[in-house]
Amino acid sequence: MTKQDGKCSLLPYDVEEVVSLQSAEQKIGWGITAFDLPKAWETTQGEGVKIAVLDSGCDLDHPDLAANLLPGMNMINPKLTAHDDNQHGTHVSGIISAVNNDIGMVGVAPKSKIIPVKVLDKNGNGSLSNVSKGIRWAVDNGADIITMSLGAPRPLQSVRKSIQYAYKKGVPCFVAAGNAGKTKEVFYPAAYPETIAIGSIDSNFKRSDFSNTGKNLDFMSPGGKIFSTVPDNWYAFLSGTSMACPFAVGVAALLLSCSRKSNSKIEIKSVNDYRELLKQGTIPIKNKNYAGKKFFEGFGIIDPRKFTEWANTH
Ligand code: CA
């Protein structure tokens, strides 16, 4: 097997609990509440922003997601839809964009749109070639932002070339840092400087034990015990940097949507513009024992409570 034929996988995650839709009534996730997102939604809910989710696909009929899905692509078999035969991709998609209605849960940017790009199979594995093609397809088909809760502990050079293509076009690739705990390096492709690498915090605002550490870590977001959509009208609590990454993407979608308003003071033209804006809205993790903060928490926790400030002062 050559490097070009190598594989990468969704990041292993913990299933905490699976819940049926019959439990009705929309739950508001701890991250939504902790960061007072309904306040940001008074300015924007992510309308007009298209996010490509490169993952195991998405449940195209989920009642809490279907209204926010755009046509996607199945890179593994282009004759098929981007349906989700795992559950990971549907969970990630819900965290970004589940509809604000009276069922299930609500996404961080509940009026943003998802472009599901299936690059991982039912076991959560995907070829580097399909991931690379998926990134280019997403850029060429109008994605504003790409999110990838996948990776491997070794360099993925062919995937990096596609990420650099996206980077040059100003399309940021947010990538989950990995769930291997205290490491010297976050996983790839999160470790590449062209991506924005996201680690996980729990509801006590501490770094999740599983969250990878390393010098290329950028930010932290909620990834512990996150409630979101899974296929066939179900919901589940999952934990992982896979859940933290789409939360950060939802915040980025709010920023982009806001920047497009005619009176906006926010200007976003490049991947570094996203990084710089998000850097200005971070808070440190509640743990003074970390020697070398950048290694453990990147620039800190993305805090969307700063949103109104960003919207009015940039
Ligand atoms: Ca909902």
Side-chain angles (χ1 to χ4, degrees):
M1 187 182 282
T2 68
K3 276 188 181 170
Q4 288 294 322
D5 294 323
K7 293 194 170 184
C8 65
S9 304
L10 61 77
L11 301 160
Y13 54 94
D14 289 331
V15 179
E16 311 278 352
E17 189 185 354
V18 180
V19 186
S20 84
L21 186 59
Q22 277 70 39
S23 53
E25 193 173 308
Q26 182 169 270
K27 282 177 191 280
I28 307 295
W30 69 261
I32 303 281
T33 304
F35 294 110
D36 204 11
L37 278 162
K39 176 80 177 158
W41 294 340
E42 292 170 10
T43 304
T44 174
Q45 297 184 39
E47 45 271 39
V49 176
K50 293 182 268 186
I51 299 140
V53 176
L54 269 68
D55 211 291
S56 59
C58 187
D59 178 351
L60 305 176
D61 301 314
H62 199 293
D64 225 358
L65 266 176
N68 281 341
L69 298 181
L70 295 172
M73 172 56 90
N74 186 328
M75 284 293 157
I76 299 168
N77 184 347
K79 291 177 183 167
L80 300 178
T81 63
H83 68 289
D84 185 5
D85 48 8
N86 182 275
Q87 67 171 6
H88 192 262
T90 302
H91 200 268
V92 166
S93 299
I95 291 167
I96 301 168
S97 189
V99 180
N100 193 4
N101 48 21
D102 54 3
I103 59 164
M105 43 71 68
V106 59
V108 173
K111 288 190 177 169
S112 64
K113 300 290 183 194
I114 300 290
I115 305 173
V117 183
K118 183 173 175 60
V119 297
L120 302 178
D121 62 21
K122 65 181 178 184
N123 299 316
N125 298 316
S127 70
L128 299 188
S129 148
N130 280 338
V131 173
S132 300
K133 281 192 287 183
I135 294 167
R136 285 174 185 267
W137 183 90
V139 173
D140 294 342
N141 285 274
D144 297 302
I145 299 171
I146 292 172
T147 186
M148 292 185 277
S149 288
L150 52 80
R154 60 184 189 285
L156 308 170
Q157 194 53 37
S158 61
V159 172
R160 185 181 191 183
K161 284 187 183 143
S162 292
I163 289 168
Q164 288 169 331
Y165 176 75
Y167 184 89
K168 282 182 189 148
K169 302 252 180 182
V171 177
C173 292
F174 284 76
V175 187
N179 302 328
K182 284 189 184 176
T183 51
K184 288 182 180 165
E185 213 163 15
V186 299
F187 277 12
Y188 294 86
Y192 291 127
E194 297 88 358
T195 62
I196 297 177
I198 307 295
S200 169
I201 55 164
D202 295 326
S203 58
N204 56 13
F205 280 41
K206 288 184 176 169
R207 171 183 154 267
S208 307
D209 288 341
F210 55 74
S211 192
N212 272 35
T213 54
K215 60 180 165 35
N216 285 318
L217 187 59
D218 285 300
F219 301 105
M220 308 296 272
S221 277
K225 294 188 180 162
I226 302 297
F227 186 67
S228 184
T229 45
V230 289
D232 299 326
N233 303 356
W234 287 71
Y235 296 83
F237 287 92
L238 306 184
S239 292
T241 54
S242 286
M243 287 67 241
C245 186
F247 190 97
V249 164
V251 177
L254 295 177
L255 282 172
L256 180 61
S257 174
C258 186
S259 78
R260 287 172 171 170
K261 291 180 188 285
S262 59
N263 59 348
S264 175
K265 292 173 179 160
I266 299 177
E267 191 171 46
I268 299 179
K269 287 189 174 162
S270 70
V271 176
N272 283 335
D273 288 343
Y274 284 95
R275 203 187 321 259
E276 287 305 313
L277 266 172
L278 293 171
K279 261 168 84 170
Q280 291 167 30
T282 54
I283 52 173
I285 283 180
K286 287 179 184 168
N287 190 326
K288 290 177 180 154
N289 299 325
Y290 294 153
K293 279 188 165 184
K294 179 77 176 78
F295 189 85
F296 285 96
E297 59 180 89
F299 301 112
I301 302 169
I302 293 174
D303 185 357
R305 285 172 296 188
K306 311 260 184 172
F307 187 87
T308 312
E309 204 179 304
W310 296 337
N312 294 326
T313 59
H314 287 89

